[in-house]
Amino acid sequence: MYSSDSSSASGHAAELRAAAGRLDRRRFLTTTGAAAALAFTVNIPLGGTAAAAEAGATKITDNPFTLGVASGDPLPGSVLLWTRLAPRPFESGGGLPPARFTVHWELARDEHFTRVAERGAVDAHPEFNHAVHVEVGGLDTDRVYYYRFRAGQWISPVGRTRTAPAKNARLTQLRLAAVSCQAYHDGYFTAYRHLADENLDAVFHLGDYLYEYAVTATGGARAYQDIRLPAQFNRETLTLDDYRLRYALYKSDPDLMAAHAAHPFIVTWDDHETENNYADDTPENDVPPEEFLLRRAAAYRAYWENQPLRGRQLPHGPDAQLYRRLRFGRLAQFDILDTRQYRSDQAYGDGWQTPGPESEDPSRTMTGATQERWLTDGWRASRATWNVLAQQVTFSQRKDRTTADYKLSMDSWDGYPASRKRVLDGWQAAGRDNLLVLTGDVHVHFGMDIKQDFDDPASKTLGTEVVTTSITSGKDGVDRPANWDTYMQANPHLKFYNGRRGYAVVTLSPESARADFRTVSAVTTPGAPVTTAASFVTAAGDPGLTPA
């Protein structure tokens, strides 16, 4: 039995309200009582500055690498390595005192570390909850490397990563996976175990890495018989400590650890890393924006601490620039979006609604003006064969019925049609070919053609959208959900629809993009096999999905 925390959700809310009363909207200074109350700092140690005393790593008596290792955001000749020291991960502080610990790292050309390419040491700061982010440069391009960490007598598991190709490299193939939505309480991360065995260059996580919802002592749908989780997980996440502990729960899963150790991840958040369906500073629930922004600051801080992200993505209070661009030679440019932090509030109170003047207001935005301009400017400058948009919510239109009284999801791009039109107009103005949108969020597999006018099936096809299903969210699912026939008839651009759990594998070449929709038969019981539910191809220069 793990130790429990008796703090209540109402107690956390009171703490947030007390902190919010001490500062003006969007003011998060280290000198405020709010920062102290929430135990997060804007002025965190960088460039060797230390805010806490150093402790000898030799004094760590239990294995501190309980949450595994990870890598991410590969660049030509550079990788980002991650781990976190947490000998007792389900305790605040991970079972370590508020002190700095030296962590040594090695990067090698072989998994036995007989040919070490780089090595060094980094401090694990208590201000970062003893997470470390190591940016290693000066490496070969487009090369597999192996890495590990050491703290005192303890050596981490070995991770495998890969640098990006050189800027002008001509690649014959690039294999990536898209994953999303991994509610711990909805089942086992079996899909990640299979993902770890895939031959991939990178994994794109498109949001909902964790959920803010309560996890019972028996792990919800996992229905544990042999362990009991601490009571601190059986409540909604609100404070920095809540979010940190929830990441510890998720990252302690062996299947997720295996996937991170096998491939570099390129991550972006959606809503549940903070709160369901929030929009900029507007929360789902009726609380003041100042109070919600304190919660958002805590969530963003914990997200950065627990993901393989570079220093430039470090949050400052409730703000973080997560959108960014990666290039893999001349074959692919990846634009990773943030469709939560800058969006207009959902129209008509959110949910599925009849579209109208409010949702169709041309001033509404999904990305914010700055990110939108950055995206379209990047397309104009791109010389890649494939321009891949990695983002969160469904981009293509989804009518819920075949009749004229159809409704659309106000949380997806359907609730922001003017924003979508500006993006697609920018795509056409850039004069590029081969738009591929990767999407998560909706817990099903979709394969869709992106139309110039979704209300006219004969209009020009501008690109392809591959929507990956969830890892667990929605529990086991079915191959054909109850609305399968309706969706397929109401949306002629929808070419594939499957409701099982799993992930999508996309293979890019100069000639085509192939999408393999992988599914597992169950997640409420462990060990289910993986199958390919369907495969589709879109030819370079000829957008539109066809069965492979």
Side-chain angles (χ1 to χ4, degrees), residues 260-421:
H260 271 300
H263 313 295
F265 271 55
I266 299 163
V267 302
T268 187
W269 55 43
D270 193 16
D271 52 340
H272 288 290
E273 288 91 350
T274 301
E275 182 191 48
N276 179 58
N277 280 21
Y278 79 92
D280 191 8
D281 60 358
T282 303
E284 178 185 35
N285 300 313
D286 187 20
V287 299
E290 293 83 359
E291 182 178 320
F292 173 69
L293 286 172
L294 286 166
R295 179 181 184 179
R296 198 178 91 173
Y300 284 12
R301 173 70 175 274
Y303 182 85
W304 186 86
E305 288 175 348
N306 287 280
Q307 297 290 6
L309 287 165
R310 293 178 181 265
R312 62 178 68 99
Q313 273 69 58
L314 176 68
H316 297 279
D319 302 306
Q321 184 175 318
L322 196 61
Y323 66 86
R324 60 207 190 276
R325 180 171 292 123
L326 300 174
R327 297 180 178 89
F328 281 63
R330 294 190 178 186
L331 185 58
Q333 174 174 297
F334 297 99
D335 295 299
I336 299 99
L337 292 193
D338 175 354
T339 62
R340 282 293 160 191
Q341 189 176 179
Y342 315 105
R343 66 157 68 189
S344 306
D345 193 15
Q346 291 92 342
Y348 300 114
D350 206 357
W352 286 78
Q353 307 291 345
T354 302
E358 184 178 340
S359 62
E360 294 169 356
D361 183 341
S363 68
R364 289 174 53 72
T365 179
M366 176 67 86
T367 61
T370 301
Q371 184 178 194
E372 182 181 295
R373 185 167 53 253
W374 166 86
L375 175 62
T376 55
D377 287 349
W379 280 337
R380 281 194 291 270
S382 174
R383 295 298 178 266
T385 301
W386 294 96
N387 287 273
V388 184
L389 191 59
Q391 56 96 53
Q392 296 79 4
V393 295
T394 308
F395 188 82
S396 302
Q397 188 180 79
R398 283 181 303 147
K399 295 180 179 179
D400 72 337
R401 64 198 72 175
T402 58
T403 52
D405 60 342
Y406 65 84
K407 295 182 178 181
L408 301 172
S409 168
M410 294 296 104
D411 189 59
S412 72
W413 286 84
D414 277 340
Y416 305 77
S419 189
R420 177 170 60 197
K421 185 177 186 303

Side-chain angles (χ1 to χ4, degrees), residues 205-268:
H205 199 294
L206 303 173
D208 296 343
Y209 190 95
L210 61 67
Y211 280 68
E212 76 274 31
Y213 303 141
V215 181
T216 64
T218 54
R222 295 186 177 210
Y224 291 143
Q225 299 295 315
D226 54 343
I227 62 172
R228 293 187 66 81
L229 299 176
Q232 65 210 30
F233 296 127
N234 198 16
R235 61 172 184 248
E236 185 171 347
T237 53
L238 292 173
T239 68
L240 178 58
D241 198 45
D242 288 339
Y243 286 106
R244 284 171 163 174
L245 287 167
R246 193 62 54 89
Y247 279 106
L249 174 63
Y250 277 60
K251 295 183 81 68
S252 67
D253 183 276
D255 294 335
L256 178 56
M257 282 197 284
H260 271 300
H263 313 295
F265 271 55
I266 299 163
V267 302
T268 187

